[in-house]
């Protein structure tokens, strides 16, 4: 089965409903399975005391102001969910407050995405656990010890969950990808494991599939020159379309291992591509064949097989041969 592809709009909408709905329409044409949002209700999750991680905004005095500008009403979120349903995309959302979970339950979300910064927010996890919905957990800022604790918390509440290997660095550099962790997570927790990408590279996601990722999550943006905190860590719409196509191809390849002990299906092609020995100059009867006299020419079976060239070295020609004639056993003694 091809990996489940989650395209995260995140904050790329810049607080504009028009831009957000444009993303939904664009992503519906790419082949992804789901579109992901972040539900920020400023008063419920933040305060004027929250610092900027990176001071990227020219119009927001505080991070709290930014969250207020990024927020939508419950009715607007219902319209966003309806739009996703209309175009056949699963609606996924990361809540950052218990109030957001209440909203998402009213909207009808199928399952929850837990951001890396919320892994130890057990109040939020308890709220989500009470919904009985499945959870996708990002591991970006968590050690195995912290993950062990959260996994135990989820299991004690019978929550169906999966985990994404993730590195909280924007954009993530190659030495930070941590592909090895994908199998470590599978072995440690015996759950479905995926990869949450911030590298802005299609190749990173393709490699993650080869390492066993069953879910891929990546940020998207219309253009990498756009304003926004995640722009440099995002794929463009065209890159997402390429990724969706490549992901399916790679999964088909993984499901169809090649048996290199057998090559009967190439017999006809081998006769076309393999070569026979020929002479590269006109030679007279009585000439002793040397390496410098030989060439290999297509097709096979018109002369001595080229792989047997050592067996003709030192042999004597019994017939005159013109340049580029094939060399056969009857020509030698």
């Amino acid at each position: 089965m091809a990996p489940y592809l989650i395209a995260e709009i995140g904050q790329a909408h810049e607080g504009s409903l028009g831009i957000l709905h444009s993303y939904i329409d664009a992503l519906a044409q790419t082949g992804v399975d789901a579109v992901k949002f972040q539900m920020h209700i400023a008063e419920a999750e933040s305060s004027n005391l929250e610092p900027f991680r990176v001071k990227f905004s020219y119009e927001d005095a505080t991070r709290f102001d930014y969250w207020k500008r990024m927020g939508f009403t419950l009715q607007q979120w219902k319209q966003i969910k309806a739009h996703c349903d209309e175009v056949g995309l699963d609606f996924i959302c990361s809540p950052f407050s218990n109030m957001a979970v209440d909203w998402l339950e009213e909207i009808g979300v199928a399952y929850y995405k837990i951001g890396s910064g919320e892994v130890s927010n057990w109040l939020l996890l308890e709220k989500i656990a009470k919904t009985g919905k499945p959870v996708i957990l990002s591991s970006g800022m968590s050690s195995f010890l912290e993950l062990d604790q959260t996994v135990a918390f989820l299991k004690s509440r019978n929550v169906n969950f999966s985990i994404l290997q993730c590195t909280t660095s924007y954009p993530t550099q190659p030495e930070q990808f941590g592909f090895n962790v994908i199998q470590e997570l599978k072995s440690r927790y015996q759950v479905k494991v995926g990869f949450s990408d911030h590298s802005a590279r299609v190749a990173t996601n393709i490699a993650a599939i080869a390492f066993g990722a069953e879910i891929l999550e990546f940020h998207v943006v219309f253009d990498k020159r756009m304003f926004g905190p995640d722009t440099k860590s995002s794929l463009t719409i065209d890159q997402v379309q390429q990724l969706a196509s490549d992901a399916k191809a790679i999964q088909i390849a993984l499901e169809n291992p090649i048996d290199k002990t057998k090559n009967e299906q190439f017999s006809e092609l081998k006769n076309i591509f393999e070569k026979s020995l020929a002479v590269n100059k006109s030679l007279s009867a009585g000439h002793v064949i040397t390496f410098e006299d030989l060439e290999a020419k297509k097709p096979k079976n018109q002369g001595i097989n080229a792989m047997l060239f050592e067996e003709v070295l030192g042999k004597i020609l019994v017939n005159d041969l013109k340049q580029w004639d094939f060399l056969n056993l009857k020509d030698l003694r």
Side-chain angles (χ1 to χ4, degrees), residues 142-154:
S142 302
S143 67
F144 272 125
L145 176 59
E146 292 168 325
L147 284 175
D148 286 346
Q149 294 172 337
T150 295
V151 166
F153 181 92
L154 294 174

Side-chain angles (χ1 to χ4, degrees), residues 61-178:
T62 66
R63 185 75 157 165
F64 179 73
D65 291 333
Y66 174 72
W67 294 134
K68 287 176 68 176
R69 185 165 63 83
M70 289 295 108
F72 300 111
T73 67
L74 175 58
Q75 186 57 38
Q76 288 170 329
W77 277 115
K78 289 180 178 180
Q79 293 168 351
I80 293 167
K81 167 66 162 57
H83 189 178
C84 292
D85 292 342
E86 289 169 8
V87 298
L89 290 173
D90 293 343
F91 172 91
I92 300 177
C93 195
S94 294
F96 292 87
S97 63
N98 283 18
M99 184 176 179
V101 176
D102 288 333
W103 281 20
L104 287 169
E105 284 299 294
E106 185 169 340
I107 291 166
V109 70
Y111 49 92
Y112 288 89
K113 168 68 197 305
I114 306 301
S116 296
E118 306 297 320
V119 171
S120 298
N121 182 356
W122 287 6
L123 179 72
L124 178 64
L125 294 181
E126 177 73 4
K127 180 77 172 181
I128 292 172
K130 290 178 182 297
T131 71
K133 303 285 179 63
V135 166
I136 300 175
L137 193 70
S138 267
S139 64
M141 291 187 282
S142 302
S143 67
F144 272 125
L145 176 59
E146 292 168 325
L147 284 175
D148 286 346
Q149 294 172 337
T150 295
V151 166
F153 181 92
L154 294 174
K155 286 184 174 180
S156 71
R157 287 150 177 81
N158 297 313
V159 176
N160 180 8
F161 68 95
S162 54
I163 300 179
L164 305 183
Q165 159 54 12
C166 171
T167 300
T168 308
S169 178
Y170 307 88
T172 314
Q173 300 304 309
E175 60 270 22
Q176 301 172 310
F177 293 165

Side-chain angles (χ1 to χ4, degrees), residues 3 14 18 40 58 75 99 181 190 257 260 280 294 324:
E14 268 301 298
H40 294 286
Y58 293 97
Q75 186 57 38
M99 184 176 179
V181 179
Q190 301 296 306
K260 289 296 284 185
N280 58 21
L294 301 176
W324 308 127

Side-chain angles (χ1 to χ4, degrees), residues 168-316:
T168 308
S169 178
Y170 307 88
T172 314
Q173 300 304 309
E175 60 270 22
Q176 301 172 310
F177 293 165
F179 292 136
N180 60 294
V181 179
I182 294 172
Q183 288 301 325
E184 291 178 25
L185 289 169
K186 285 190 176 188
S187 175
R188 193 179 189 97
Y189 301 123
Q190 301 296 306
V191 296
K192 182 177 288 189
V193 173
F195 186 79
S196 180
D197 177 53
H198 302 115
S199 73
R201 300 169 186 257
V202 173
T204 308
N205 291 273
I206 296 302
I209 298 172
F211 277 93
E214 300 168 84
I215 304 167
L216 293 180
E217 179 191 61
F218 38 84
H219 284 265
V220 296
V221 70
F222 279 122
D223 190 292
K224 294 186 181 183
R225 292 166 293 189
M226 292 178 69
F227 173 82
D230 299 316
T231 298
K232 293 181 180 179
S233 310
S234 301
L235 300 176
T236 65
I237 300 296
D238 287 343
Q239 285 180 307
V240 171
Q241 189 165 20
Q242 183 65 56
L243 171 56
S245 175
D246 290 347
K248 290 179 175 63
I250 295 301
Q251 190 60 36
I252 290 171
L254 293 174
E255 292 170 355
N256 292 273
I258 298 298
D259 183 356
K260 289 296 284 185
T261 65
K262 300 176 181 179
N263 68 342
E264 292 85 353
Q265 71 270 36
F266 298 114
S267 296
E268 187 174 342
L269 277 177
K270 283 172 68 65
N271 284 331
I272 294 173
F273 283 101
E274 292 187 351
K275 296 179 177 180
S276 303
L277 288 178
V279 295
N280 58 21
K281 59 180 72 70
S282 294
L283 299 174
S284 301
H287 179 80
V288 177
I289 297 295
T290 68
F291 181 82
E292 285 71 24
D293 297 326
L294 301 176
E295 185 55 272
K297 291 177 53 173
K298 296 176 184 177
K300 184 180 178 181
N301 298 326
Q302 290 300 309
I304 298 168
N305 194 308
M307 71 183 298
L308 303 176
F309 77 93
E310 290 179 302
E311 297 183 14
V312 308
L313 299 180
K315 295 291 181 70
I316 299 171

